[in-house]
mmCIF file of all heavy atoms in Angstrom:
data_model
loop_
_atom_site.group_PDB
_atom_site.id
_atom_site.type_symbol
_atom_site.label_atom_id
_atom_site.label_comp_id
_atom_site.label_asym_id
_atom_site.label_seq_id
_atom_site.Cartn_x
_atom_site.Cartn_y
_atom_site.Cartn_z
ATOM 1 N N VAL A 1 -10.694 -86.985 221.612
ATOM 2 C CA VAL A 1 -10.430 -85.453 221.414
ATOM 3 C C VAL A 1 -9.090 -85.210 222.062
ATOM 4 O O VAL A 1 -8.627 -85.794 223.023
ATOM 5 C CB VAL A 1 -11.515 -84.640 222.177
ATOM 6 C CG1 VAL A 1 -12.826 -84.812 221.495
ATOM 7 C CG2 VAL A 1 -11.676 -84.958 223.655
ATOM 8 N N PRO A 2 -8.397 -84.230 221.511
ATOM 9 C CA PRO A 2 -7.010 -83.881 222.157
ATOM 10 C C PRO A 2 -7.120 -83.287 223.489
ATOM 11 O O PRO A 2 -8.132 -82.545 223.792
ATOM 12 C CB PRO A 2 -6.426 -82.963 221.053
ATOM 13 C CG PRO A 2 -7.603 -82.381 220.345
ATOM 14 C CD PRO A 2 -8.662 -83.394 220.261
ATOM 15 N N GLU A 3 -6.109 -83.507 224.278
ATOM 16 C CA GLU A 3 -6.150 -82.735 225.606
ATOM 17 C C GLU A 3 -6.064 -81.322 225.424
ATOM 18 O O GLU A 3 -6.700 -80.543 226.226
ATOM 19 C CB GLU A 3 -4.976 -83.263 226.410
ATOM 20 C CG GLU A 3 -5.048 -84.684 226.811
ATOM 21 C CD GLU A 3 -3.889 -85.110 227.736
ATOM 22 O OE1 GLU A 3 -3.124 -84.370 228.233
ATOM 23 O OE2 GLU A 3 -3.725 -86.327 227.931
ATOM 24 N N ASP A 4 -5.326 -80.832 224.402
ATOM 25 C CA ASP A 4 -5.303 -79.415 224.186
ATOM 26 C C ASP A 4 -6.380 -78.984 223.111
ATOM 27 O O ASP A 4 -6.292 -79.381 222.032
ATOM 28 C CB ASP A 4 -3.814 -79.037 223.601
ATOM 29 C CG ASP A 4 -3.730 -77.583 223.329
ATOM 30 O OD1 ASP A 4 -4.539 -76.753 223.733
ATOM 31 O OD2 ASP A 4 -2.762 -77.165 222.705
ATOM 32 N N THR A 5 -7.273 -78.153 223.695
ATOM 33 C CA THR A 5 -8.472 -77.784 222.752
ATOM 34 C C THR A 5 -8.286 -76.517 222.112
ATOM 35 O O THR A 5 -9.145 -75.938 221.461
ATOM 36 C CB THR A 5 -9.728 -77.708 223.585
ATOM 37 O OG1 THR A 5 -9.587 -76.850 224.698
ATOM 38 C CG2 THR A 5 -10.108 -79.060 224.182
ATOM 39 N N SER A 6 -6.967 -75.933 222.125
ATOM 40 C CA SER A 6 -6.759 -74.685 221.560
ATOM 41 C C SER A 6 -6.433 -74.750 220.124
ATOM 42 O O SER A 6 -6.177 -73.708 219.473
ATOM 43 C CB SER A 6 -5.562 -73.945 222.352
ATOM 44 O OG SER A 6 -4.345 -74.678 222.267
ATOM 45 N N GLY A 7 -6.337 -75.925 219.586
ATOM 46 C CA GLY A 7 -5.975 -76.046 218.156
ATOM 47 C C GLY A 7 -7.206 -75.631 217.312
ATOM 48 O O GLY A 7 -8.280 -75.346 217.724
ATOM 49 N N PRO A 8 -7.023 -75.644 215.968
ATOM 50 C CA PRO A 8 -8.085 -75.280 215.113
ATOM 51 C C PRO A 8 -9.291 -76.165 215.279
ATOM 52 O O PRO A 8 -9.177 -77.409 215.364
ATOM 53 C CB PRO A 8 -7.487 -75.411 213.599
ATOM 54 C CG PRO A 8 -6.309 -76.221 213.865
ATOM 55 C CD PRO A 8 -5.793 -76.040 215.256
ATOM 56 N N ALA A 9 -10.470 -75.571 215.225
ATOM 57 C CA ALA A 9 -11.715 -76.364 215.331
ATOM 58 C C ALA A 9 -11.932 -77.095 213.911
ATOM 59 O O ALA A 9 -11.489 -76.652 212.897
ATOM 60 C CB ALA A 9 -12.890 -75.454 215.520
ATOM 61 N N GLN A 10 -12.494 -78.323 214.063
ATOM 62 C CA GLN A 10 -12.855 -79.028 212.860
ATOM 63 C C GLN A 10 -14.220 -79.605 212.983
ATOM 64 O O GLN A 10 -14.598 -80.501 213.765
ATOM 65 C CB GLN A 10 -11.964 -80.287 212.718
ATOM 66 C CG GLN A 10 -10.431 -79.871 212.428
ATOM 67 C CD GLN A 10 -9.564 -81.099 212.449
ATOM 68 O OE1 GLN A 10 -9.579 -81.831 213.409
ATOM 69 N NE2 GLN A 10 -8.813 -81.354 211.297
ATOM 70 N N LEU A 11 -15.227 -78.977 212.288
ATOM 71 C CA LEU A 11 -16.591 -79.358 212.298
ATOM 72 C C LEU A 11 -16.992 -79.854 210.891
ATOM 73 O O LEU A 11 -16.948 -79.123 209.931
ATOM 74 C CB LEU A 11 -17.500 -78.178 212.687
ATOM 75 C CG LEU A 11 -19.017 -78.479 212.729
ATOM 76 C CD1 LEU A 11 -19.370 -79.365 213.841
ATOM 77 C CD2 LEU A 11 -19.865 -77.220 212.754
ATOM 78 N N LEU A 12 -17.360 -81.131 210.854
ATOM 79 C CA LEU A 12 -17.825 -81.754 209.499
ATOM 80 C C LEU A 12 -19.443 -81.603 209.547
ATOM 81 O O LEU A 12 -19.989 -82.158 210.424
ATOM 82 C CB LEU A 12 -17.454 -83.171 209.482
ATOM 83 C CG LEU A 12 -17.857 -83.845 208.166
ATOM 84 C CD1 LEU A 12 -17.345 -83.371 206.960
ATOM 85 C CD2 LEU A 12 -17.582 -85.376 208.364
ATOM 86 N N VAL A 13 -19.891 -80.850 208.474
ATOM 87 C CA VAL A 13 -21.285 -80.746 208.334
ATOM 88 C C VAL A 13 -21.883 -82.071 207.716
ATOM 89 O O VAL A 13 -21.619 -82.360 206.646
ATOM 90 C CB VAL A 13 -21.659 -79.574 207.464
ATOM 91 C CG1 VAL A 13 -23.159 -79.378 207.337
ATOM 92 C CG2 VAL A 13 -21.079 -78.310 208.109
ATOM 93 N N THR A 14 -22.794 -82.663 208.586
ATOM 94 C CA THR A 14 -23.468 -83.877 208.016
ATOM 95 C C THR A 14 -24.929 -83.741 207.879
ATOM 96 O O THR A 14 -25.537 -84.644 207.221
ATOM 97 C CB THR A 14 -23.250 -85.024 209.123
ATOM 98 O OG1 THR A 14 -23.591 -84.512 210.485
ATOM 99 C CG2 THR A 14 -21.852 -85.459 209.148
ATOM 100 N N SER A 15 -25.629 -82.702 208.314
ATOM 101 C CA SER A 15 -27.014 -82.454 207.961
ATOM 102 C C SER A 15 -27.353 -81.081 208.061
ATOM 103 O O SER A 15 -26.652 -80.296 208.710
ATOM 104 C CB SER A 15 -27.965 -83.360 208.756
ATOM 105 O OG SER A 15 -27.892 -83.054 210.148
ATOM 106 N N LEU A 16 -28.506 -80.637 207.530
ATOM 107 C CA LEU A 16 -28.975 -79.211 207.511
ATOM 108 C C LEU A 16 -30.383 -79.129 208.081
ATOM 109 O O LEU A 16 -31.209 -80.025 208.099
ATOM 110 C CB LEU A 16 -28.992 -78.748 206.107
ATOM 111 C CG LEU A 16 -27.624 -78.776 205.345
ATOM 112 C CD1 LEU A 16 -27.893 -78.390 203.933
ATOM 113 C CD2 LEU A 16 -26.614 -77.770 205.980
ATOM 114 N N ASP A 17 -30.571 -77.949 208.582
ATOM 115 C CA ASP A 17 -31.963 -77.566 209.202
ATOM 116 C C ASP A 17 -32.174 -76.106 208.787
ATOM 117 O O ASP A 17 -31.313 -75.464 208.220
ATOM 118 C CB ASP A 17 -32.024 -77.822 210.717
ATOM 119 C CG ASP A 17 -33.490 -77.980 211.105
ATOM 120 O OD1 ASP A 17 -34.366 -77.759 210.348
ATOM 121 O OD2 ASP A 17 -33.661 -78.219 212.358
ATOM 122 N N TYR A 18 -33.375 -75.748 208.980
ATOM 123 C CA TYR A 18 -33.690 -74.221 208.678
ATOM 124 C C TYR A 18 -34.529 -73.765 209.737
ATOM 125 O O TYR A 18 -35.474 -74.402 210.255
ATOM 126 C CB TYR A 18 -34.301 -74.173 207.273
ATOM 127 C CG TYR A 18 -34.606 -72.778 206.851
ATOM 128 C CD1 TYR A 18 -33.660 -71.974 206.277
ATOM 129 C CD2 TYR A 18 -35.867 -72.158 207.022
ATOM 130 C CE1 TYR A 18 -33.835 -70.659 205.982
ATOM 131 C CE2 TYR A 18 -36.128 -70.880 206.718
ATOM 132 C CZ TYR A 18 -35.068 -70.128 206.156
ATOM 133 O OH TYR A 18 -35.327 -68.836 205.843
ATOM 134 N N ASP A 19 -34.364 -72.463 210.076
ATOM 135 C CA ASP A 19 -35.120 -71.785 211.056
ATOM 136 C C ASP A 19 -35.448 -70.372 210.388
ATOM 137 O O ASP A 19 -34.547 -69.713 209.949
ATOM 138 C CB ASP A 19 -34.266 -71.557 212.341
ATOM 139 C CG ASP A 19 -35.138 -70.812 213.451
ATOM 140 O OD1 ASP A 19 -35.399 -69.681 213.248
ATOM 141 O OD2 ASP A 19 -35.478 -71.522 214.346
ATOM 142 N N PRO A 20 -36.799 -70.092 210.474
ATOM 143 C CA PRO A 20 -37.194 -68.892 209.843
ATOM 144 C C PRO A 20 -36.517 -67.514 210.415
ATOM 145 O O PRO A 20 -36.488 -66.525 209.737
ATOM 146 C CB PRO A 20 -38.649 -68.752 209.970
ATOM 147 C CG PRO A 20 -38.995 -69.829 211.023
ATOM 148 C CD PRO A 20 -37.948 -70.706 211.024
ATOM 149 N N TYR A 21 -36.005 -67.666 211.640
ATOM 150 C CA TYR A 21 -35.425 -66.518 212.321
ATOM 151 C C TYR A 21 -33.968 -66.402 212.107
ATOM 152 O O TYR A 21 -33.440 -65.248 211.951
ATOM 153 C CB TYR A 21 -35.667 -66.537 213.859
ATOM 154 C CG TYR A 21 -37.247 -66.439 214.141
ATOM 155 C CD1 TYR A 21 -37.881 -67.597 214.478
ATOM 156 C CD2 TYR A 21 -37.922 -65.319 214.055
ATOM 157 C CE1 TYR A 21 -39.268 -67.494 214.771
ATOM 158 C CE2 TYR A 21 -39.216 -65.152 214.395
ATOM 159 C CZ TYR A 21 -39.917 -66.343 214.710
ATOM 160 O OH TYR A 21 -41.271 -66.246 214.984
ATOM 161 N N VAL A 22 -33.231 -67.447 212.107
ATOM 162 C CA VAL A 22 -31.769 -67.403 211.897
ATOM 163 C C VAL A 22 -31.272 -68.068 210.663
ATOM 164 O O VAL A 22 -30.060 -68.012 210.313
ATOM 165 C CB VAL A 22 -31.122 -68.115 213.125
ATOM 166 C CG1 VAL A 22 -31.439 -67.478 214.467
ATOM 167 C CG2 VAL A 22 -31.483 -69.628 213.141
ATOM 168 N N GLY A 23 -32.168 -68.589 209.776
ATOM 169 C CA GLY A 23 -31.687 -69.056 208.476
ATOM 170 C C GLY A 23 -31.224 -70.484 208.505
ATOM 171 O O GLY A 23 -31.646 -71.368 209.371
ATOM 172 N N ARG A 24 -30.348 -70.783 207.671
ATOM 173 C CA ARG A 24 -29.771 -72.139 207.532
ATOM 174 C C ARG A 24 -28.998 -72.558 208.707
ATOM 175 O O ARG A 24 -28.162 -71.742 209.264
ATOM 176 C CB ARG A 24 -28.942 -72.263 206.267
ATOM 177 C CG ARG A 24 -28.477 -73.709 205.980
ATOM 178 C CD ARG A 24 -27.752 -73.851 204.658
ATOM 179 N NE ARG A 24 -28.737 -73.714 203.502
ATOM 180 C CZ ARG A 24 -28.462 -74.125 202.304
ATOM 181 N NH1 ARG A 24 -27.181 -74.679 202.026
ATOM 182 N NH2 ARG A 24 -29.284 -74.085 201.324
ATOM 183 N N ILE A 25 -29.217 -73.754 209.077
ATOM 184 C CA ILE A 25 -28.496 -74.271 210.357
ATOM 185 C C ILE A 25 -27.730 -75.561 209.912
ATOM 186 O O ILE A 25 -28.288 -76.460 209.330
ATOM 187 C CB ILE A 25 -29.479 -74.655 211.511
ATOM 188 C CG1 ILE A 25 -30.149 -73.347 212.051
ATOM 189 C CG2 ILE A 25 -28.744 -75.301 212.633
ATOM 190 C CD1 ILE A 25 -31.259 -73.590 212.995
ATOM 191 N N SER A 26 -26.487 -75.575 210.128
ATOM 192 C CA SER A 26 -25.611 -76.692 209.793
ATOM 193 C C SER A 26 -25.273 -77.496 211.039
ATOM 194 O O SER A 26 -24.886 -76.891 212.025
ATOM 195 C CB SER A 26 -24.403 -76.204 209.119
ATOM 196 O OG SER A 26 -23.739 -75.136 209.766
ATOM 197 N N LEU A 27 -25.475 -78.835 210.982
ATOM 198 C CA LEU A 27 -25.318 -79.743 212.072
ATOM 199 C C LEU A 27 -24.185 -80.759 211.799
ATOM 200 O O LEU A 27 -24.054 -81.213 210.699
ATOM 201 C CB LEU A 27 -26.676 -80.435 212.351
ATOM 202 C CG LEU A 27 -26.741 -81.387 213.559
ATOM 203 C CD1 LEU A 27 -28.132 -81.433 214.065
ATOM 204 C CD2 LEU A 27 -26.288 -82.833 213.066
ATOM 205 N N GLY A 28 -23.434 -80.949 212.856
ATOM 206 C CA GLY A 28 -22.322 -81.942 212.655
ATOM 207 C C GLY A 28 -21.615 -82.223 213.897
ATOM 208 O O GLY A 28 -22.033 -81.668 214.978
ATOM 209 N N ARG A 29 -20.556 -83.005 213.823
ATOM 210 C CA ARG A 29 -19.754 -83.381 215.069
ATOM 211 C C ARG A 29 -18.545 -82.498 215.022
ATOM 212 O O ARG A 29 -17.859 -82.318 214.010
ATOM 213 C CB ARG A 29 -19.448 -84.788 215.030
ATOM 214 C CG ARG A 29 -18.523 -85.181 216.209
ATOM 215 C CD ARG A 29 -18.366 -86.632 216.251
ATOM 216 N NE ARG A 29 -17.297 -87.004 217.219
ATOM 217 C CZ ARG A 29 -17.051 -88.190 217.677
ATOM 218 N NH1 ARG A 29 -17.735 -89.244 217.213
ATOM 219 N NH2 ARG A 29 -16.028 -88.468 218.400
ATOM 220 N N LEU A 30 -18.206 -81.845 216.200
ATOM 221 C CA LEU A 30 -16.993 -81.142 216.350
ATOM 222 C C LEU A 30 -15.898 -82.042 216.732
ATOM 223 O O LEU A 30 -15.803 -82.671 217.834
ATOM 224 C CB LEU A 30 -17.276 -80.079 217.396
ATOM 225 C CG LEU A 30 -16.024 -79.108 217.570
ATOM 226 C CD1 LEU A 30 -15.720 -78.348 216.267
ATOM 227 C CD2 LEU A 30 -16.472 -78.077 218.703
ATOM 228 N N PHE A 31 -14.955 -82.274 215.846
ATOM 229 C CA PHE A 31 -13.867 -83.393 216.048
ATOM 230 C C PHE A 31 -12.736 -82.733 216.835
ATOM 231 O O PHE A 31 -11.982 -83.484 217.486
ATOM 232 C CB PHE A 31 -13.409 -83.884 214.707
ATOM 233 C CG PHE A 31 -14.324 -84.850 213.965
ATOM 234 C CD1 PHE A 31 -15.271 -84.402 213.216
ATOM 235 C CD2 PHE A 31 -14.248 -86.128 214.334
ATOM 236 C CE1 PHE A 31 -16.156 -85.246 212.552
ATOM 237 C CE2 PHE A 31 -15.126 -87.103 213.703
ATOM 238 C CZ PHE A 31 -16.144 -86.667 212.848
ATOM 239 N N ASN A 32 -12.505 -81.529 216.769
ATOM 240 C CA ASN A 32 -11.299 -80.847 217.254
ATOM 241 C C ASN A 32 -11.539 -79.444 217.663
ATOM 242 O O ASN A 32 -12.411 -78.680 216.977
ATOM 243 C CB ASN A 32 -10.134 -80.962 216.266
ATOM 244 C CG ASN A 32 -8.755 -80.901 216.910
ATOM 245 O OD1 ASN A 32 -8.747 -80.707 218.175
ATOM 246 N ND2 ASN A 32 -7.689 -81.094 216.196
ATOM 247 N N GLY A 33 -10.868 -78.863 218.717
ATOM 248 C CA GLY A 33 -10.961 -77.582 218.956
ATOM 249 C C GLY A 33 -12.319 -77.064 219.536
ATOM 250 O O GLY A 33 -13.170 -77.881 219.774
ATOM 251 N N GLU A 34 -12.471 -75.856 219.810
ATOM 252 C CA GLU A 34 -13.708 -75.257 220.305
ATOM 253 C C GLU A 34 -14.265 -74.222 219.332
ATOM 254 O O GLU A 34 -13.499 -73.605 218.578
ATOM 255 C CB GLU A 34 -13.421 -74.561 221.613
ATOM 256 C CG GLU A 34 -13.124 -75.496 222.793
ATOM 257 C CD GLU A 34 -12.942 -74.717 224.065
ATOM 258 O OE1 GLU A 34 -12.846 -73.556 224.080
ATOM 259 O OE2 GLU A 34 -12.992 -75.455 225.188
ATOM 260 N N LEU A 35 -15.612 -74.163 219.453
ATOM 261 C CA LEU A 35 -16.221 -73.070 218.533
ATOM 262 C C LEU A 35 -16.898 -72.116 219.555
ATOM 263 O O LEU A 35 -17.537 -72.567 220.559
ATOM 264 C CB LEU A 35 -17.244 -73.589 217.563
ATOM 265 C CG LEU A 35 -16.657 -74.400 216.380
ATOM 266 C CD1 LEU A 35 -17.874 -74.922 215.552
ATOM 267 C CD2 LEU A 35 -15.807 -73.480 215.447
ATOM 268 N N ARG A 36 -16.876 -70.761 219.234
ATOM 269 C CA ARG A 36 -17.621 -69.780 220.102
ATOM 270 C C ARG A 36 -18.515 -68.900 219.341
ATOM 271 O O ARG A 36 -18.231 -68.643 218.103
ATOM 272 C CB ARG A 36 -16.558 -68.886 220.831
ATOM 273 C CG ARG A 36 -15.738 -69.702 221.681
ATOM 274 C CD ARG A 36 -14.538 -68.787 222.339
ATOM 275 N NE ARG A 36 -13.730 -69.593 223.270
ATOM 276 C CZ ARG A 36 -14.058 -69.921 224.430
ATOM 277 N NH1 ARG A 36 -15.239 -69.559 225.057
ATOM 278 N NH2 ARG A 36 -13.321 -70.693 225.223
ATOM 279 N N ARG A 37 -19.634 -68.586 219.973
ATOM 280 C CA ARG A 37 -20.622 -67.730 219.395
ATOM 281 C C ARG A 37 -19.966 -66.365 218.803
ATOM 282 O O ARG A 37 -19.061 -65.932 219.442
ATOM 283 C CB ARG A 37 -21.668 -67.368 220.365
ATOM 284 C CG ARG A 37 -22.832 -66.558 219.828
ATOM 285 C CD ARG A 37 -23.520 -65.813 220.956
ATOM 286 N NE ARG A 37 -24.014 -66.668 222.004
ATOM 287 C CZ ARG A 37 -25.346 -66.905 222.297
ATOM 288 N NH1 ARG A 37 -26.242 -66.391 221.594
ATOM 289 N NH2 ARG A 37 -25.597 -67.690 223.249
ATOM 290 N N ASN A 38 -20.396 -65.986 217.628
ATOM 291 C CA ASN A 38 -19.849 -64.705 216.920
ATOM 292 C C ASN A 38 -18.413 -64.735 216.666
ATOM 293 O O ASN A 38 -17.773 -63.742 216.443
ATOM 294 C CB ASN A 38 -20.192 -63.549 217.958
ATOM 295 C CG ASN A 38 -21.648 -63.372 218.003
ATOM 296 O OD1 ASN A 38 -22.448 -63.568 217.111
ATOM 297 N ND2 ASN A 38 -22.123 -62.814 219.167
#
């Protein structure tokens, strides 16, 4: 991972799940950057 995490996030979706409360859930590895809720 890069030392600077401020770059664009890169998440590759590799599998799916489903939750009746929140709907479709996408799962994968975050290769770059950070993701934040909302």
Side-chain angles (χ1 to χ4, degrees):
V1 296
E3 291 183 12
D4 181 9
T5 61
S6 63
Q10 293 175 304
L11 176 73
L12 176 66
V13 178
T14 48
S15 63
L16 302 172
D17 200 356
Y18 184 80
D19 184 285
Y21 296 103
V22 298
R24 183 173 291 199
I25 296 173
S26 46
L27 182 149
R29 174 169 170 171
L30 185 57
F31 285 91
N32 202 352
E34 293 181 341
L35 290 177
R36 296 181 180 275
R37 186 202 301 246
N38 296 325

